[in-house]
Amino acid sequence: MARLCVVGTGYVGLVTGACLAGLGHGVRCVDVDSRKVEAINDGKSTIYEPGLGELVKRMVRAGRLCATTSYREALADADFTFICVGTPSQADGSTDLAYICEAGAMVADALAQRQKSKGKTAQARRHILIVKSTVPPGTTESLEPILREAGLPHVGLCMNPEFLREGNAVYDFMKPDRIVVGAMERKDAEAVMRLYSTVAAPKLKTDLRTAEMIKYASNSFLATKISFANELANMCEKFGVDVYDVADGMGHDRRIGRAFLNAGAGFGGSCFKKDVSALLHEVRHRGAEARILNAVLEINEAQPYRVVELLREALGPLTGARIALLGLAFKDNTDDVRDSAAIKVARALVDAGANVIAYDPQATANAKKELGPRIEYAASAAEALKGADACALVTEWPQFAKIPMRAFRKMKRPLVIEGRNVLDKKALKKAGIKYAGIGRKKF
Ligand code: UGA
């Protein structure tokens, strides 16, 4: 069991802290937000994420997880620090590294104080500072001068990217496809890898910049796959072919794989657009171009509006039309609406004069902060559908597949536009409900 400090209790930080405690380590989280700290110490998760609330409660009770606002307290006896703070996008696509630098400086200060209090003669224990936040190649090594100035030659630097999907984060942490640790010194990478000794996964040790780049390359490739599927969907519509049948046929080829070929209203969330834009910015800054990434973002920008076009093709002008919007979150199993395609569809429909009534199993409260009273919010899918001129499904919640056909029949004009791939097409057809979708065959 190792003693760890995790800086930041946002999405990545809390999942990382709770899961590392779950692996048997002692974890102290540090955050400036005292409300988050209190909640964690009460055994409560501050974010909606399946399985996380239960894990936080168990780990706090077991005495393996706690939180504090004090860096000195969090670092009192830790041998490893994971930096899990936000790296937001700036207007030009570049990454704001202020939180990373601040966290690095605070950790350095606390470690220097710890060293001082132990007396000059005491042998300094090796400490490893690990960046987990997604940062442009070259960022982790830029923390070195901060450590040097603080007189901390015994602190090593590592980069350990996260590959956590919202809604599946605990599973992804415990059963990862791979673990990557970049380091300046091999012994540090080995020490960080030992923290994951009970996790079965391919383990890759690299240098710092390679680890940072692996994260950007992975997210950019996944975003590229989705934009490819969306471009393909638009082509399939022209040929009267269903894009999902094509994706299934392609996906059996092991060189291609079926995952992330699901066409629809486009990717959202806090990561893909941010990371692709950051990589584009960094590449341009170095005098090169990443043409494929430009196209990925361009296709994704247009994709939510395909849902609105399909509604218009079916209904004519949308002024005064009542549209049931199923889904507000950027994907299923989350209450997160950041960069959600559903929010873009809602705004476009309102701008076109439609009356929108939306339902989401988890994200309504967050959507209200974005859309306010511009749309109505229903307490169930059935309530949203009642009396609607059409339904647009934009988030892949699996429970939407269970909406009874009688609820669709309660629409004024039974018409469904699907921006994902959730509904049972055969059942809809049998029930006499008209259907169109992105890259789908109409009936
Ligand atoms: C993504 C990556 O999948 C994680 O590996 C990564 O760690 C994370 O970003 C991050 O950088 O922190 P996340 O954004 O939570 O995770 O969600 P995804 O499951 O990747 O979905 C992102 C978006 O793509 C969603 O809007 C989803 O609806 C859309 N999507 C996904 C598609 O439109 N089609 C697909 O085939 C798959």
Side-chain angles (χ1 to χ4, degrees):
M1 183 194 121
R3 284 163 302 212
L4 317 175
C5 165
V6 173
V7 180
T9 62
Y11 192 78
V12 174
L14 189 56
V15 172
T16 300
C19 289
L20 284 167
L23 295 181
H25 304 298
V27 180
R28 280 187 187 166
C29 296
V30 58
D31 201 294
V32 286
D33 187 337
S34 56
R35 277 171 312 174
K36 282 188 186 170
V37 166
E38 269 169 41
I40 294 164
N41 288 332
D42 283 345
K44 291 183 194 128
S45 167
T46 46
I47 48 172
Y48 173 78
E49 178 64 32
L52 186 62
E54 182 49 38
L55 184 61
V56 169
K57 192 159 130 195
R58 246 183 332 115
M59 291 303 113
V60 170
R61 275 197 192 150
R64 296 217 295 270
L65 179 70
C66 66
T68 170
T69 52
S70 155
Y71 276 80
R72 289 191 192 171
E73 194 185 324
L75 279 152
D77 57 2
D79 294 317
F80 299 85
T81 297
F82 284 85
I83 296 189
C84 302
V85 295
T87 49
S89 247
Q90 307 195 95
D92 61 354
S94 63
T95 311
D96 181 353
L97 294 171
Y99 298 122
I100 293 278
C101 295
E102 195 183 309
M106 296 298 277
V107 171
D109 176 66
L111 288 175
Q113 291 298 328
R114 180 170 100 176
Q115 183 57 26
K116 231 188 249 166
S117 68
K118 295 224 163 103
K120 278 205 175 114
T121 48
Q123 176 77 38
R125 230 168 48 207
R126 187 139 186 96
H127 188 93
I128 304 180
L129 182 56
I130 307 139
V131 174
K132 212 175 221 322
S133 311
T134 302
V135 290
T139 304
T140 305
E141 68 201 47
S142 72
L143 295 175
E144 214 195 1
I146 299 176
L147 300 173
R148 216 184 312 120
E149 271 164 39
L152 299 166
H154 59 290
V155 177
L157 279 172
C158 285
M159 203 281 153
N160 173 214
E162 55 89 7
F163 303 104
L164 308 172
R165 288 165 300 167
E166 282 191 33
N168 290 284
V170 175
Y171 176 90
D172 286 349
F173 194 100
M174 296 301 191
K175 297 202 181 319
D177 287 344
R178 76 304 209 181
I179 297 172
V180 176
V181 176
M184 274 181 167
E185 292 187 39
R186 200 171 168 84
K187 65 171 193 249
D188 291 339
E190 280 160 5
V192 175
M193 276 306 185
R194 277 196 293 277
L195 299 176
Y196 296 103
S197 60
T198 53
V199 179
K203 292 174 180 160
L204 287 89
K205 296 185 203 95
T206 68
D207 59 29
L208 291 173
R209 286 184 180 212
T210 305
E212 291 164 332
M213 192 63 175
I214 286 172
K215 172 61 193 265
Y216 278 104
S218 300
N219 272 6
S220 296
F221 187 73
L222 292 172
T224 304
K225 256 188 128 175
I226 298 169
S227 277
F228 179 86
N230 285 332
E231 187 95 300
L232 188 67
N234 300 338
M235 290 190 252
C236 282
E237 279 178 41
K238 304 285 173 218
F239 291 105
V241 172
D242 190 303
V243 69
Y244 275 83
D245 293 340
V246 176
D248 289 344
M250 290 167 69
H252 282 289
D253 186 325
R254 272 172 296 167
R255 293 167 303 173
I256 299 172
R258 177 64 184 80
F260 279 70
L261 278 181
N262 298 317
F267 58 76
S270 63
C271 304
F272 284 164
K273 187 178 168 191
K274 173 174 88 81
D275 294 351
V276 173
S277 306
L279 187 54
L280 261 171
H281 178 89
E282 293 298 324
V283 167
R284 273 190 201 132
H285 192 63
R286 285 159 181 77
E289 259 309 323
R291 284 163 297 174
I292 202 163
L293 298 186
N294 274 319
V296 166
L297 292 182
E298 201 182 303
I299 293 164
N300 198 59
E301 281 307 309
Q303 211 56 23
Y305 306 107
R306 267 306 287 151
V307 175
V308 183
E309 278 168 38
L310 286 168
L311 280 166
R312 224 179 246 126
E313 280 168 26
L315 296 176
L318 296 174
T319 323
R322 185 170 174 82
I323 310 294
L325 188 67
L326 296 185
L328 288 162
F330 83 95
K331 61 182 244 182
D332 60 311
N333 267 325
T334 178
D335 63 355
D336 195 343
V337 298
R338 281 178 289 174
D339 208 30
S340 168
I343 301 286
K344 291 176 192 162
V345 172
R347 284 207 178 103
L349 287 173
V350 170
D351 290 346
N355 300 314
V356 178
I357 173 150
Y359 168 69
D360 189 283
Q362 289 294 339
T364 305
N366 284 335
K368 276 185 184 164
K369 290 180 208 155
E370 296 276 327
L371 296 166
R374 296 179 78 198
I375 67 164
E376 287 173 56
Y377 303 90
S380 67
E383 188 191 323
L385 289 167
K386 207 171 165 193
D389 289 298
C391 157
L393 188 153
V394 275
T395 308
E396 59 270 45
W397 283 101
Q399 49 267 60
F400 289 158
K402 298 197 186 97
I403 299 171
M405 288 303 131
R406 62 173 185 281
F408 287 108
R409 282 209 209 89
K410 293 259 165 70
M411 288 193 277
K412 207 184 325 165
R413 269 190 262 187
L415 165 71
V416 173
I417 304 292
E418 193 167 23
R420 300 288 170 191
N421 183 38
V422 179
L423 299 173
D424 181 344
K425 267 54 87 184
K426 274 191 195 142
L428 287 169
K429 199 170 191 176
K430 212 168 139 210
I433 290 150
K434 285 185 108 188
Y435 176 90
I438 292 177
R440 314 315 295 260
K441 278 189 188 167
K442 288 184 186 159
F443 55 76

